[in-house]
Amino acid sequence: MNHMTLSAWVFMLTVWAIVIGCAAYCFYKLLTSERQLDDDDNEDDTASRTAG
Amino acid sequence: MATKERWGTRLGLVLAMAGNAVGLGNFLRFPAQAAKNGGGAFMIPYIVALIVMGLPLMWVEWTLGRYGGQFGHHSAPGILQSTARGRGWKYFGVFGIWANLIIAAFYVYIESWCLAYAGFSAIGGFRDTPAKEFYNNLIGASENNIFSISIWGMGVFAVCIVLNVFILSRGLARGIETVAKIGMPILILFAAILAVRGLMSQVGDEGVVESPFVGLNFVWEPKLDSLANPAVWLAAAGQIFFTLSIGIGSIHCYSSYLRAKDDIALTGATTAWTNEFCEVVLGGTVLIPIAVAYLGLSHVADPETSGFALGFLSFPTLFQKWGWLAAPAGFLWFGLLFVAAITSSLAMGQPIMAFLQDEYGFDRKRSALAFGGMLLLLAVPVAIFEQKSFFDEFDFWGGTFALVVFAFGESILFGWVFGMDKAWAEMNRGAELKIPSIFYYFIKYLTPVFLFFILAGSIFQPKAGWDAYSNALFKGEEMPAWEWSGSGVIGKILHKDIEDSSDPQKQAFNEDLKLVRTIDRLVLVGVFLFFSVLVYFAWKRRAAEGRLAT
């Protein structure tokens, strides 16, 4: 453990905190969301429009 | 003919999309790049590139895909065409199917190595066989020979192609999504076990020459002077590209199966941060710390040592020092690489299948077989010729350069042709996460500029490196004479990466190599033209059937 400098620890833990924090926040929001992919079957489906 | 396929669940979609992004680069390329480019300081341009380019482009691709999907398009030509409403964009979109096939041709080959290594590790084969010998047998390498044939290596390759085709033929929810739901947790578990076991190694244990924390320090120690080096910024931006699977066309394809009001802001961000977790936290903690512990810092710090060489040529031997854990550890390492690879290679097949289904009415099984057939045609030269020919060329042109070209084009299309206000509204439709408005300006201005510099940097690459010119300008050092680098586009075209040799055998090999490279570049162009012709006839057919609005 003492083979790492203080600056290396600070950099590593800061970046880890940002990455894990963002991932955890996103997963929390996603998993607690009540919306699912198939909520609204009445909206435009594939091939319902035509375009170039 | 429109496909009616859909994703099963949001979590399944996130894991499939994360599986697409999490690949070999997360565990082999990232730690080597970080260590080579300033350690902890590399993370500053890396995170800047993630925010300025990675996240915006990822949202751009999700948005383009979902938008194109509303018109019944699930591959890049149709998606770009429906976004731009202009004649030429569908041909630019060919990059989004061409690159997938080209990348898959060598990527599935590496995937097959992972499978072979995992199996050989599991039976304890590396106890008696050095990794280098196994590798040479696997690829059939022999010195100064343009051919590189291994029957059993090709057999494992064929198994992987069949496996990919089989999974793809089962469809989105039952095939790709199921594999991602099983594979991603396994991958994270395997990586976590290896990281913890690796960091527990101590000097005094059998074969340990340094603390693994020396390796961790090597990856994370900030060398702030490297921030002034443009090459470090280019390397960081390049890594963001590879890691998020941007510019390939697979994100477009996956998101095109969403409905118009499905969220993409939160779902996209979740996949990006899952990928970053696998790369920064797990990827940065396995390869380099373990390699430093058993090989020493001087070996790993050698600029010639790549993450690839460490992973395939050193790790199987290092694991033998772990006693009874050697075989399981080897299986875990190559197993996780295999899972990372297959979840990515599946994402390369789907856009091509989707194109054939949408435009030529193929059903799922037929389109999977067609993809397998095309893959096989390109896989054969990859497997039988020396790696510096088809394998490297496909990697460079399809897996590196084309991604930047495609991403640059789509960033212009999105922000300037489609129109940023319309694009922003489309991106935020159904959003469950408020995308900060600063990204409006990033996408419109900063991302294309950033991509322009990456594109220019990859085309015009000096042999002495941009840092030498930067030092000459700002530090008064001597200005080096201009010479093209063999790793840049112009240098590649001019074969600058093949150095003349005084050894007649080696020189004869070099001449063969140049010839084969010329042939494989013709193949690359030919495949692009082939898809362009398919696009041309597909749109003629659409026009004849009255399926064009413009």
Side-chain angles (χ1 to χ4, degrees):
Chain A
M1 302 280 267
N2 57 3
H3 293 284
M4 283 180 75
T5 62
L6 180 65
S7 55
W9 274 114
V10 169
F11 254 83
M12 187 180 83
L13 293 178
T14 306
V15 174
W16 279 22
I18 294 170
V19 169
I20 294 172
C22 288
Y25 173 75
C26 287
F27 264 107
Y28 170 76
K29 282 205 69 154
L30 190 94
L31 295 173
T32 55
S33 167
E34 290 178 359
R35 279 176 56 184
Q36 281 303 316
L37 293 178
D38 293 321
D39 273 356
D40 184 2
D41 278 333
N42 296 322
E43 62 183 85
D44 290 346
D45 205 342
T46 52
S48 60
R49 301 189 200 177
T50 53
Chain B
M1 187 174 116
T3 54
K4 294 289 179 188
E5 289 206 85
R6 290 280 177 213
W7 294 104
T9 61
R10 277 182 89 182
L11 183 63
L13 166 62
V14 166
L15 292 177
M17 210 47 117
N20 167 28
V22 176
L24 298 168
N26 293 55
F27 295 95
L28 296 175
R29 194 175 188 275
F30 167 76
Q33 285 288 315
K36 208 181 280 181
N37 290 288
F42 176 78
M43 294 313 296
I44 295 172
Y46 178 88
I47 288 177
V48 169
L50 174 68
I51 292 168
V52 169
M53 187 190 74
L55 288 173
L57 270 176
M58 185 211 53
W59 275 318
V60 164
E61 295 197 349
W62 275 81
T63 310
L64 285 172
R66 187 185 62 174
Y67 184 78
Q70 294 165 53
F71 299 98
H73 294 297
H74 302 91
S75 60
I79 288 169
L80 297 199
Q81 183 74 7
S82 57
T83 309
R85 306 282 177 105
R87 280 168 178 262
W89 281 97
K90 58 182 174 287
Y91 296 108
F92 185 74
V94 169
F95 274 108
I97 43 178
W98 172 82
N100 281 289
L101 185 62
I102 300 302
I103 298 171
F106 70 87
Y107 202 85
V108 178
Y109 192 31
I110 306 176
E111 188 178 306
S112 73
W113 300 349
C114 300
L115 184 63
Y117 268 82
F120 201 62
S121 298
I123 59 168
F126 287 111
R127 260 197 309 267
D128 307 315
T129 310
K132 177 85 179 161
E133 185 186 322
F134 178 78
Y135 178 75
N136 284 341
N137 285 338
L138 183 63
I139 64 166
S142 57
E143 209 176 344
N144 292 337
N145 188 346
I146 197 69
F147 292 102
S148 177
I149 300 172
S150 158
I151 299 299
W152 83 273
M154 284 198 278
V156 185
F157 192 9
V159 167
C160 279
I161 292 176
V162 171
L163 190 60
N164 274 272
V165 169
F166 171 72
I167 295 168
L168 285 166
S169 72
R170 291 176 60 83
L172 278 185
R174 287 178 60 224
I176 297 172
E177 194 174 325
T178 304
V179 169
K181 276 179 176 170
I182 298 168
M184 288 303 290
I186 286 177
L187 178 148
I188 290 171
L189 180 71
F190 281 13
I193 292 172
L194 285 171
V196 171
R197 174 60 185 87
L199 291 178
M200 282 167 60
S201 304
Q202 292 178 342
V203 178
D205 292 352
E206 191 198 345
V208 176
V209 294
E210 260 176 303
S211 165
F213 284 90
V214 173
L216 212 51
N217 190 69
F218 179 58
V219 175
W220 289 101
E221 170 76 53
K223 303 168 195 96
L224 294 173
D225 54 336
S226 64
L227 289 179
N229 184 354
V232 171
W233 286 82
L234 273 177
Q239 181 60 27
I240 286 296
F241 243 99
F242 300 126
T243 192
L244 290 175
S245 292
I246 291 167
I248 300 177
S250 50
I251 294 179
H252 307 73
C253 174
Y254 276 13
S255 68
S256 70
Y257 295 99
L258 291 170
R259 285 187 169 80
K261 285 182 186 168
D262 281 336
D263 160 82
I264 52 173
L266 175 63
T267 320
T270 311
T271 63
W273 289 113
T274 305
N275 175 69
E276 289 310 307
F277 172 75
C278 291
E279 174 150 305
V280 174
V281 179
L282 297 176
T285 314
V286 178
L287 186 83
I288 300 285
I290 295 176
V292 166
Y294 289 90
L295 298 170
L297 185 59
S298 55
H299 179 92
V300 179
D302 182 350
E304 296 299 314
T305 306
S306 71
F308 189 86
L310 285 177
F312 282 95
L313 302 181
S314 302
F315 260 40
T317 310
L318 304 188
F319 287 141
Q320 299 314 309
K321 308 280 194 324
W322 286 12
W324 66 270
L325 205 56
F331 177 77
L332 291 181
W333 172 243
F334 291 108
L336 89 85
L337 290 182
F338 176 72
V339 172
I342 197 165
T343 48
S344 299
S345 64
L346 291 173
M348 294 165 199
Q350 185 63 29
I352 296 163
M353 286 173 56
F355 174 75
L356 296 173
Q357 289 168 9
D358 292 344
E359 310 302 343
Y360 287 95
F362 281 34
D363 64 18
R364 195 193 299 152
K365 281 192 178 141
R366 221 172 126 213
S367 60
L369 283 173
F371 165 67
M374 287 189 258
L375 182 58
L376 194 62
L377 281 178
L378 292 178
V380 169
V382 167
I384 66 170
F385 282 105
E386 214 274 344
Q387 266 181 34
K388 286 178 185 160
S389 58
F390 276 84
F391 185 102
D392 279 1
E393 288 282 297
F394 280 14
D395 183 11
F396 182 80
W397 297 107
T400 310
F401 183 58
L403 311 190
V404 188
V405 173
F406 186 65
F408 179 63
E410 73 180 355
S411 73
I412 299 291
L413 165 70
F414 193 75
W416 295 89
V417 179
F418 190 50
M420 198 55 219
D421 289 337
K422 197 175 162 190
W424 186 251
E426 180 65 28
M427 187 183 284
N428 282 285
R429 186 142 45 93
E432 283 193 77
L433 177 80
K434 183 172 167 41
I435 300 175
S437 44
I438 186 98
F439 281 101
Y440 177 100
Y441 301 99
F442 281 178
I443 292 169
K444 186 164 185 182
Y445 302 107
L446 215 47
T447 307
V449 171
F450 210 81
L451 284 166
F452 173 78
F453 279 109
I454 296 173
L455 189 58
S458 61
I459 295 172
F460 305 104
Q461 216 172 89
K463 190 174 184 180
W466 285 112
D467 51 331
Y469 292 90
S470 149
N471 291 343
L473 282 175
F474 300 110
K475 293 184 184 169
E477 291 178 10
E478 197 182 339
M479 183 74 80
W482 184 272
E483 202 176 336
W484 296 110
S485 160
S487 50
V489 168
I490 295 178
K492 273 271 181 197
I493 292 171
L494 299 172
H495 298 302
K496 290 289 180 188
D497 53 335
I498 304 174
E499 290 187 3
D500 287 339
S501 171
S502 54
D503 176 355
Q505 264 192 320
K506 176 82 182 153
Q507 189 53 28
F509 170 78
N510 286 344
E511 294 305 321
D512 287 346
L513 187 57
K514 284 180 187 172
L515 176 68
V516 175
R517 280 191 176 184
T518 306
I519 295 168
D520 67 47
R521 285 169 194 178
L522 290 173
V523 170
L524 287 169
V525 173
V527 175
F528 195 93
L529 288 175
F530 168 70
F531 280 124
S532 301
V533 169
L534 286 186
V535 166
Y536 172 78
F537 283 110
W539 259 258
K540 269 194 91 168
R541 192 176 143 137
R542 277 179 174 268
E545 292 170 1
R547 292 197 291 142
L548 292 180
T550 54

